[in-house]
Each structure stands twice: as C-alpha cells, then as structure tokens.
C-alpha cells in the first residue's frame, strides 16, 4: 500500500506541480481523481475542510493542502533531487517568484475570463506580468531554478502547457518567440524534460474541457 | 565585516506585514536598523530594493534585498540560529504552520474589507470574515489541542504562525472600538484571543507595542479614507 496519496483533478496545473515534484524525486504515490466541479468526495472534504480544493497530499494518513505548502513539504521530506537551492538568499529569491506566480495568477489568467474591450485590457496586463517574468524572473538563466529546474519552474509550469491552450481558445496570442524569446525558449526546455513530458494532460482533452470552462466564465461574468 | 552583516528593515509602522518581520527579528534577538517609509512618497532606495512590487517590508542583509514578509521570515529562520526556531524541525508541523499563516492573509484581507465598507456591503464582509475566523479558530484547536502555552513556554517556542497572528489580528480590540462590531473576541474565538494575549506579554513584543489610541486613530483614518474614495 502506498503511503503517499494525491487527491487531484486531471486538468489542474496546481495538481501537476505536485505530481511533477513527486516524480522528479522518484516518490511513489497513489493518485485519486476528484470530481471537483460536481461531486467532491467525503475524503476531500475531510482532508481539506478549509478550501475544499485539490491538490491534497496525504502522507502516512496526514493531509496537506495548498500546492505551495505541499511542494515545501515534499522538498523537506524527500531531499533527493532538490528543488530549492541551498543558499538562504537564493532560496528567498525562489520563494519570491513562487509568491509572485500565486499573486499574479489572476493577472496572467484574466484574458481567459474576458472578451471584447475587457479582454484587450486583461491581455495587456498579462503581457506586462510576462515581461517582468521574462526579464527579472528568468533573465538569462536556463531555468527559473538556474541550470536545473526548481520549485519556481514548477510554479510557472502552467505557462508551458496550459497557457497555449487557453490563448488559443480565447483568441489571443500565446507566449511567442518574438515577444518573449527567453520564456519561449524556457517553455521548450521545460517540456523536453522527460519527467515533465511524460506528465502533461492530454491537449485535445484540455481544449474540450477549457472551452466549456471559458463559456461558463463568460456567462457568469455577464450575470 | 560589520557592514557585511548589517540588517536593515524598510517598513511602515501601520503595516502588519512589516510588523511580522519586526517581531521575527526581535524575538530572535537580531539587531537591525529600521527605516520608516512614507508610502505616499516612497524613497528612491525602496524603489531600487523592491522594483517589482515597490512595497514594504524589505529586509537588507549582506547588501542583498529580500521581500515578501513570509519569505523574509523563513530567510531569517534559516540564517540566524539564535532564539526560537520560527519553523519547527518536523516537516508536517512546518506544513501546518505555513498553511495557516497563508490562510491568515485571507482572514486579514476579509477584515480589511469590513473596515472599508458600510451598510449592506459591510454586512456581507462581516459575514465572510466571521466564517473565516471560525475556520481559523478550528485550525488552531488542531494545532494546540491542549490549549495555548504559557508565556514562558511561548518564549522558547514561538513560531512564524504566532507572529502572523499577532501582527495581523493583534489589533482586534482597536478594530472593535472603531467598528462597534466584535469579530474576534474571547467568546467566539477564545484560542485566537489567548494566543494574542500570551504573545503580547513576551518581552520582545511588549517593547514595540503600539499604543491602543494610536492604532484606533490610524484605523479611523484608514476607514474614512476608504469610504471617501469609494464614494468619490
């Protein structure tokens, strides 16, 4: 019996961060798919009563929620293939960018929830945040974590796979090589890492799912 | 060499996120220089040290800047081994502390909404924050099954979560005075209150405590401003 269980949803980038971290460290786990939209399990509600969300990591019967908290727990419990640097200042920088990713998710995602003039504004906002990421977060590094991928790369991993699908559905540009050469190159490198490559949700399934998602978001914005 | 190890904290006295870091430095007995920033007139130094967010707190150590209050506190805990460990050794306990510290940000933002609104909007905000505070109280019950430790025990075991509770929720009495509404009180949220009460008595905390009247005055000013700009 596996000591580690992940409660997740197949389309969630937050869940994938946890999956990637476990896989990169060679940790075996049992995955349980939650129907978060229509039918949350009793187990999920018991393990995450505060937010009632995925991902939840359960280790030896003890639950941990919030992907950033889970990643730190994984890093501390299974130190092999470290995802954070050793130097305290470098660690602080990695954590700064992780927090940036959490705080700016709305700004990066807003274009998907809007249309017309609002979308033009939201897309501009997205480009501004991406510029900060490109120039100051990633800079000239190979990965956010330096020469190897780290926790910050996992935080922004959704930009390498989900952003493209969402941009296509929303009718806006993705992260193109012309506008964001460094981020674009990082995306290719990130997706090429075998562990990441093997653990990405199916693109056509995402197109169907997020198309429906966008319709719902636009409809609720109008009501 | 002394310049190398110098610690400078850029802050604003009204900001709980700054208070968290101040408390961490004091509780661990780390000497530091404090620079008060006027957020309506940010210094060039602040803008240079935190170009992305242009906010306080910023900690400068060995000439390098660290921003984001919880990131700073983890940095402090990893760099200075004196004083209590702000995060315990055990990964699971650490995860619980990080989880609840992060949740308190939501609680705090909900509290601020109550300050910024009136009438129906405020009723809604009060309902929301009351639910969150209830969940926090339940969470603390899980973390402190035997109740809140005494001041003496606390002085050796104070954690990042305690500092966050004190910084963000410690002004609850002043809030009550300004709003005329009890959100955190010994009846509804006994653990949160006991936690704050015990922490206030720590020597490191006592010496830097803002007088009640000053906090009340600031909260009144903040509320007036918010309501005026909402009406404008």
């Amino acid at each position: 019996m596996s000591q580690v269980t992940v409660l997740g949803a197949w389309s969630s980038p937050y869940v994938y961060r946890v999956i990637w971290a476990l896989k990169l460290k060679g940790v075996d786990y049992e995955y349980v798919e939650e129907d978060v939209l229509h039918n949350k399990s009793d187990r999920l509600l018991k393990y995450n009563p505060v937010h009632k969300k995925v991902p939840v990591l359960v280790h030896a019967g003890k639950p941990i929620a919030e992907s950033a908290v889970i990643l730190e727990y994984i890093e501390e419990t299974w130190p092999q293939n470290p995802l954070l640097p050793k130097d305290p200042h470098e660690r602080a920088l990695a954590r700064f960018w992780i927090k940036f990713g959490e705080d700016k998710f709305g700004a990066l995602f807003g274009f998907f929830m809007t249309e017309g003039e609002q979308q033009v504004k939201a897309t501009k906002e997205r480009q501004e945040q991406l510029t900060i990421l490109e120039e100051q977060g990633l800079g000239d590094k190979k990965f956010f974590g330096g020469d190897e991928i780290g926790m910050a790369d996992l935080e922004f991993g959704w930009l390498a796979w989900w952003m493209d699908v969402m941009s296509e559905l929303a009718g806006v540009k993705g992260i193109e090589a012309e506008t964001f050469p460094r981020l674009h190159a990082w995306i290719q490198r990130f997706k090429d890492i075998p562990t990441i490559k093997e653990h990405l949700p199916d693109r056509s399934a995402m197109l169907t799912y997020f198309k429906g998602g966008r319709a719902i978001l636009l409809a609720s914005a109008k009501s | 060499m002394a310049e190398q190890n110098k610690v400078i904290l850029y802050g604003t006295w009204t900001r709980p996120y700054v208070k968290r870091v101040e408390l961490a430095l004091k509780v661990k007995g780390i000497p530091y220089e404090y620079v008060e920033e006027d957020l309506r007139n940010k210094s060039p130094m602040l803008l240079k040290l935190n170009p992305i967010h242009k906010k306080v707190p910023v900690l400068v150590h060995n000439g390098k800047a660290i921003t984001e209050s919880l990131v700073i506190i983890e940095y402090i805990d990893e760099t200075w081994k004196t004083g209590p460990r702000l995060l315990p050794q055990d990964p699971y306990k650490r995860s619980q502390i990080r989880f609840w510290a992060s949740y308190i940000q939501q609680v705090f933002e909900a509290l601020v909404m109550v300050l910024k609104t009136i009438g129906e909007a405020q009723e809604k905000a009060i309902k929301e924050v009351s639910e969150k505070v209830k969940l926090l109280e339940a969470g603390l019950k899980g973390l402190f099954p035997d109740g809140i430790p005494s001041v003496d025990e606390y002085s050796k075991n104070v954690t990042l979560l305690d500092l966050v509770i004190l910084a963000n929720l410690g002004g609850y009495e002043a809030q009550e005075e300004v709003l005329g509404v009890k959100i955190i009180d010994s009846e509804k949220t006994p653990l949160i209150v006991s936690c704050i009460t015990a922490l206030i008595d720590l020597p490191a905390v006592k010496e830097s405590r803002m007088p009640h009247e000053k906090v009340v005055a600031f909260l009144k000013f903040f509320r007036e401003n918010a309501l005026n700009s909402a009406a404008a």
Side-chain angles (χ1 to χ4, degrees):
Chain A
M1 191 193 89
S2 178
Q3 267 218 317
V4 182
T5 308
V6 174
L7 304 186
W10 71 269
S11 59
S12 165
Y14 298 92
V15 170
Y16 270 85
R17 284 173 201 161
V18 174
I19 289 172
W20 292 329
L22 291 169
K23 285 291 181 193
L24 286 165
K25 288 170 179 282
V27 177
D28 283 327
Y29 63 94
E30 179 202 350
Y31 177 80
V32 175
E33 178 75 16
E34 282 283 338
D35 180 359
V36 287
L37 287 179
H38 306 294
N39 192 18
K40 293 177 182 179
S41 73
D42 290 336
R43 178 148 62 156
L44 176 63
L45 299 177
K46 179 179 117 189
Y47 283 147
N48 191 1
V50 174
H51 300 295
K52 305 178 175 55
K53 287 181 181 171
V54 292
V56 176
L57 183 88
V58 187
H59 184 209
K62 292 191 269 193
I64 301 143
E66 294 296 281
S67 65
V69 175
I70 296 171
L71 289 182
E72 296 263 6
Y73 177 83
I74 291 172
E75 177 71 0
E76 288 162 4
T77 308
W78 295 283
Q80 65 273 23
N81 296 344
L83 297 170
L84 280 177
K86 278 199 164 60
D87 172 68
H89 186 251
E90 296 293 310
R91 290 162 79 87
L93 280 174
R95 287 178 174 139
F96 171 86
W97 287 106
I98 291 166
K99 180 113 202 322
F100 181 90
E102 291 180 8
D103 289 345
K104 300 297 181 183
F105 181 78
L108 289 162
F109 181 71
F111 75 93
F112 187 70
M113 304 200 302
T114 49
E115 49 188 349
E117 219 177 279
Q118 276 203 321
Q119 190 188 54
V120 171
K121 198 171 162 215
T123 309
K124 184 166 177 279
E125 172 71 34
R126 183 192 81 167
Q127 303 301 82
E128 279 168 20
Q129 300 307 322
L130 287 174
T131 304
I132 294 172
L133 260 185
E134 159 112 357
E135 291 175 3
Q136 299 182 60
L138 185 61
D140 290 322
K141 302 196 300 281
K142 210 170 147 195
F143 294 102
F144 285 91
D147 289 328
E148 309 280 337
I149 74 166
M151 226 183 257
D153 296 275
L154 302 190
E155 169 69 32
F156 294 112
W158 74 278
L159 297 176
W161 191 246
W162 281 254
M163 177 58 92
D164 196 53
V165 167
M166 290 172 173
S167 301
E168 187 180 316
L169 289 169
V172 304
K173 289 185 184 169
I175 297 174
E176 297 179 335
E178 293 163 321
T179 1
F180 299 107
R182 289 159 170 172
L183 274 178
H184 189 257
W186 168 79
I187 286 172
Q188 309 319 310
R189 283 193 289 269
F190 183 81
K191 283 193 296 188
D192 266 345
I193 295 168
T195 306
I196 304 292
K197 208 177 199 167
E198 287 158 27
H199 297 94
L200 289 170
D202 177 70
R203 201 177 187 277
S204 56
M206 280 169 76
L207 276 168
T208 311
Y209 177 80
F210 284 106
K211 188 173 179 187
R214 178 162 159 82
I216 293 170
L217 286 167
L218 291 177
S220 62
K222 286 186 185 131
S223 63
Chain B
M1 229 18 194
E3 278 303 304
Q4 264 277 68
N5 287 323
K6 197 169 171 182
V7 177
I8 310 170
L9 174 64
Y10 292 81
T12 303
W13 75 268
T14 56
R15 292 292 182 270
Y17 297 111
V18 172
K19 187 112 198 112
R20 292 172 173 185
V21 175
E22 265 199 301
L23 288 169
L25 290 167
K26 286 200 190 293
V27 145
K28 282 185 89 87
I30 299 163
Y32 64 98
E33 181 192 324
Y34 178 76
V35 176
E36 176 78 13
E37 282 285 333
D38 177 358
L39 297 179
R40 292 160 302 182
N41 188 16
K42 294 172 184 178
S43 72
M45 183 55 109
L46 178 66
L47 300 177
K48 179 177 148 217
L49 292 171
N50 190 358
I52 293 171
H53 299 302
K54 306 175 175 53
K55 286 183 183 171
V56 290
V58 180
L59 190 85
V60 179
H61 179 227
N62 292 338
K64 294 189 234 178
I66 302 132
T67 64
E68 297 297 335
S69 62
L70 295 180
V71 175
I72 297 172
I73 296 174
E74 294 224 22
Y75 173 85
I76 288 171
D77 205 37
E78 287 172 6
T79 309
W80 285 276
K81 302 300 180 189
T82 53
R85 287 195 71 128
L86 298 176
L87 282 164
Q89 188 92 303
D90 173 64
Y92 185 70
K93 289 191 179 133
R94 291 165 79 93
S95 76
Q96 297 310 289
I97 284 172
R98 286 182 177 126
F99 176 88
W100 289 107
S102 165
Y103 188 65
I104 288 174
Q105 180 160 346
Q106 290 187 37
V107 176
F108 178 69
E109 283 169 9
L111 267 173
V112 172
M113 265 328 258
V114 177
L115 266 173
K116 285 166 105 167
T117 48
I118 47 169
E120 219 179 281
Q122 193 188 47
E123 289 294 318
K124 190 171 168 227
I126 291 172
K127 187 164 176 279
E128 208 185 293
V129 75
S130 301
E131 281 165 18
K132 292 195 148 83
V133 145
K134 213 168 151 185
L135 283 169
L136 176 62
E137 178 78 10
L140 286 183
K141 211 165 190 170
L143 288 176
F144 296 108
D146 304 318
I148 303 293
S150 67
V151 180
D152 292 324
E153 278 175 62
Y154 236 147
S155 58
K156 294 174 225 123
N157 297 313
V158 71
T159 68
L160 176 153
L161 177 60
D162 300 309
L163 303 182
V164 166
I165 289 173
L166 186 57
N168 286 90
L169 307 177
Y172 73 94
E173 284 170 321
Q175 277 207 322
E176 191 181 309
E177 192 174 312
V178 171
L179 292 169
V181 172
K182 281 182 200 272
I183 294 164
I184 291 170
D185 79 334
S186 41
E187 250 182 65
K188 294 185 195 139
T189 58
L191 279 178
I192 296 175
V193 170
S194 316
C195 179
I196 293 170
T197 309
L199 288 167
I200 287 173
D201 266 343
L202 288 176
V205 175
K206 235 177 187 159
E207 68 183 40
S208 60
R209 193 147 157 79
M210 255 330 139
H212 177 82
E213 306 73 41
K214 205 171 174 189
V215 180
V216 168
F218 168 70
L219 290 177
K220 280 190 171 145
F221 168 75
F222 178 84
R223 178 164 166 76
E224 245 180 70
N225 252 10
L227 292 177
N228 286 338
S229 44

